């Protein structure tokens, strides 16, 4: 039995996690789930965002399925997500955006995978107040972190029959920091001569992606650009509710929805669990349970096609629980 650590999160986190676990448990896979409360509520209860037992579980199991967690803006504790990515060196944030036939968007043929560097850039959280009118934020780009995310993107492309890897940057302005990332990209590209390469400046890339996303394949970039571009790519396929993600290191792996804790709809039981469910499918692929992952994706896409049991973000009226039941019906 493989043990999986589960963080239920806050906001809509517990609601969508419940649905996802119900589906995973229905398939009677050789998996056992160790569940923990984490986040703001847990902090108020016992002063710890992540209880020691939850850390110990992930330390041991090395695979984490995580629901979204609230991060207060401009005050309070550091983002738990950033903390987890740093602590477990989850340096590769991988977000595949592939068109779902039943979800109509202006682009029926999107198939992009974003590789976002996850441990440095402006997200290192070093901000210095110079005076009341001036704040300096530090952007860190290192050769080590750049090389490993770029190599991972190329290795993925090779393994998955992808044709092209594009580096996204702003090296025309940040000549040293993004310049280093870009030069690492072209050095590593030499190790993968069968893959086509190019690079795009982040602003031009945004325009390209909303005009002809089908021209792109695998994208690799520093942390901040990856955060923005991956939300953009989610918009191309139907929104944050349907984009999955994995955060991988060399030893640990964390799978989470790309959206946040959606406080505006928390407790209303109308959240769409698809992003977390598709992230759980990425986890099943990672654990070599590909058949189960495929079955879940097929059942989910049939619910989308059927169109009668969709959550409000997909213009339906179903509750999270009804949506989950519809998936289970197709799994039976
Ligand atoms: P958000 O992604 O939570 O919500 C943005 C909008 O999308 C809201 O209108 C929300 O109702 C909707 N939405 C999000 N997920 C949905 C779903 N599954 N089904 C239906 N509608 C959905 O972004 P927001 O409001 O900026 O952030 C809220 C909190 O979440 C913040 O504290 C933020 O820091 C945190 N957050 C946590 C993340 C994580 O744990 N990985 C990632 C992003 C944000």
């Amino acid at each position: 039995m493989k043990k999986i650590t589960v963080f239920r999160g806050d906001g809509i986190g517990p609601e969508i996690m419940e649905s996802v676990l119900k589906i995973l448990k229905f398939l009677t896979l050789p998996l056992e789930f160790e569940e923990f409360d984490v986040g703001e509520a847990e902090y108020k209860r016992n002063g710890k965002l992540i209880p020691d037992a939850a850390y110990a579980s992930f330390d041991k199991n090395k695979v984490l399925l995580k629901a979204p967690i609230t991060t207060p803006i401009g005050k309070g504790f550091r983002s738990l997500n950033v903390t987890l990515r740093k602590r477990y060196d989850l340096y590769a944030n991988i977000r595949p955006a592939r068109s779902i036939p039943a979800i109509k968007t202006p682009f029926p043929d999107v198939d992009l995978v974003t590789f976002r560097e996850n441990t440095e850039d402006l997200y290192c959280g070093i901000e210095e107040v110079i005076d009341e009118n001036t704040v300096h934020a530090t952007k860190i780009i290192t050769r080590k972190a750049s090389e490993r995310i770029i190599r991972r993107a190329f290795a993925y492309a090779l393994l998955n029959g992808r044709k092209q890897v594009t580096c996204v940057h702003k090296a025309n302005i940040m000549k040293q920091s993004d310049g280093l990332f870009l030069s690492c990209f072209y050095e590593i590209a030499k190790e993968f001569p069968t893959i086509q390469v190019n690079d795009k400046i982040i602003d031009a890339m945004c325009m390209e992606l909303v005009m002809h996303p089908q021209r792109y394949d695998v994208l690799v970039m520093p942390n901040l650009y990856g955060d923005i571009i991956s939300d953009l790519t989610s918009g191309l396929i139907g929104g944050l509710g349907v984009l999955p993600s994995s955060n991988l290191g060399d030893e640990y792996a964390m799978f989470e929805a790309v959206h946040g804790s959606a406080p505006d709809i928390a407790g209303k039981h109308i959240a769409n669990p698809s992003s977390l469910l598709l992230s759980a499918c990425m986890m099943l692929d990672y654990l070599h349970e590909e058949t189960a992952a495929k079955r879940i994706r097929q059942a989910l896409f049939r619910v989308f096609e059927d169109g009668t049991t969709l959550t409000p973000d997909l213009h339906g009226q179903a509750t999270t629980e009804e949506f989950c039941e519809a998936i289970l019906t197709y799994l039976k």
Side-chain angles (χ1 to χ4, degrees):
M1 249 334 162
K2 169 72 190 149
K3 287 190 177 154
I4 310 290
T5 302
V6 172
F7 289 0
R8 280 187 288 258
D10 53 30
I12 58 168
E15 298 164 42
I16 56 174
M17 186 59 88
E18 195 183 314
S19 290
V20 168
L21 289 182
K22 197 167 178 186
I23 291 164
L24 292 177
K25 286 174 186 170
F26 175 80
L27 291 180
T28 56
L29 299 162
L31 302 178
E32 218 175 283
F33 301 97
E34 295 182 353
E35 297 179 46
F36 297 92
D37 288 323
V38 298
E40 209 168 16
E42 193 57 21
Y43 186 68
K44 284 179 188 152
R45 249 194 316 270
N46 65 21
K48 284 191 176 167
L49 291 166
I50 301 184
D52 293 343
Y55 272 130
S57 171
F58 188 22
D59 287 349
K60 169 175 59 81
N61 298 334
K62 298 187 165 42
V63 179
L64 170 64
L65 181 62
K66 180 187 150 295
I69 300 170
T70 306
T71 307
I73 293 175
K75 61 181 169 63
F77 52 80
R78 186 180 190 197
S79 158
L80 255 191
N81 306 306
V82 175
T83 304
L84 284 167
R85 289 167 191 167
K86 287 287 280 183
R87 179 178 169 128
Y88 292 96
D89 203 18
L90 303 166
Y91 62 85
N93 189 329
I94 306 167
R95 297 181 169 186
R98 175 179 272 187
S99 297
I100 299 167
I103 298 181
K104 299 294 171 224
T105 71
F107 307 103
D109 48 2
V110 175
D111 190 3
L112 296 161
V113 187
T114 302
F115 278 73
R116 163 186 172 191
E117 201 290 319
N118 226 4
T119 60
E120 54 181 32
D121 195 353
L122 279 164
Y123 288 54
C124 53
I126 305 172
E127 291 188 304
E128 189 189 355
V129 179
I130 306 299
D131 60 44
E132 63 185 81
N133 299 312
T134 315
V135 178
H136 289 182
T138 303
K139 170 172 167 121
I140 295 180
I141 299 285
T142 64
R143 178 176 294 281
K144 181 184 169 212
S146 303
E147 283 184 349
R148 62 185 183 173
I149 184 72
I150 293 165
R151 193 166 274 116
R152 197 138 193 169
F154 274 104
Y156 172 91
L158 196 65
L159 209 68
N160 291 279
R162 299 281 184 154
K163 306 256 170 314
Q164 175 186 266
V165 180
T166 302
C167 178
V168 183
H169 63 89
K170 188 78 185 175
N172 53 331
I173 303 295
M174 278 160 279
K175 293 180 194 300
Q176 297 304 322
S177 52
D178 282 14
L180 174 60
F181 192 89
L182 185 60
S183 72
C184 289
F185 175 77
Y186 280 112
E187 275 166 39
I188 288 168
K190 291 181 198 150
E191 297 169 24
F192 299 86
T194 56
I195 310 278
Q196 296 163 24
V197 291
N198 57 22
D199 68 272
K200 277 268 172 253
I201 291 172
I202 174 76
D203 35 340
M205 190 69 203
C206 290
M207 184 205 63
E208 283 282 307
L209 285 176
V210 296
M211 290 192 73
H212 13 250
Q214 60 286 344
R215 289 187 189 164
Y216 295 89
D217 192 347
V218 175
L219 313 172
V220 63
M221 63 203 81
N223 205 341
L224 177 63
Y225 310 142
D227 198 357
I228 297 164
I229 288 283
S230 58
D231 271 29
L232 188 158
T233 64
S234 85
L236 298 173
I237 62 160
L240 287 173
V242 292
L243 191 83
S245 87
S246 61
N247 295 267
L248 306 183
D250 290 329
E251 203 182 342
Y252 292 90
M254 174 171 92
F255 300 86
E256 62 175 349
V258 293
H259 57 73
S261 56
D264 53 335
I265 57 165
K268 294 185 179 163
H269 298 269
I270 53 167
N272 179 355
S274 303
S275 174
L276 186 60
L277 184 61
L278 288 167
S279 305
C281 289
M282 289 180 88
M283 178 184 81
L284 294 178
D285 285 336
Y286 177 85
L287 296 171
H288 305 295
E289 293 286 351
E290 290 94 343
T291 310
K294 198 170 165 195
R295 277 186 69 197
I296 294 174
R297 286 189 189 104
Q298 279 171 349
L300 174 66
F301 293 168
R302 286 182 72 183
V303 173
F304 288 151
E305 266 161 43
D306 173 62
T308 57
T309 326
L310 302 178
T311 45
D313 58 306
L314 297 175
H315 312 294
Q317 292 181 339
T319 62
T320 311
E321 291 76 14
E322 287 164 346
F323 185 78
C324 169
E325 284 307 319
I327 297 169
L328 288 171
T329 307
Y330 283 118
L331 279 174
K332 281 174 189 160

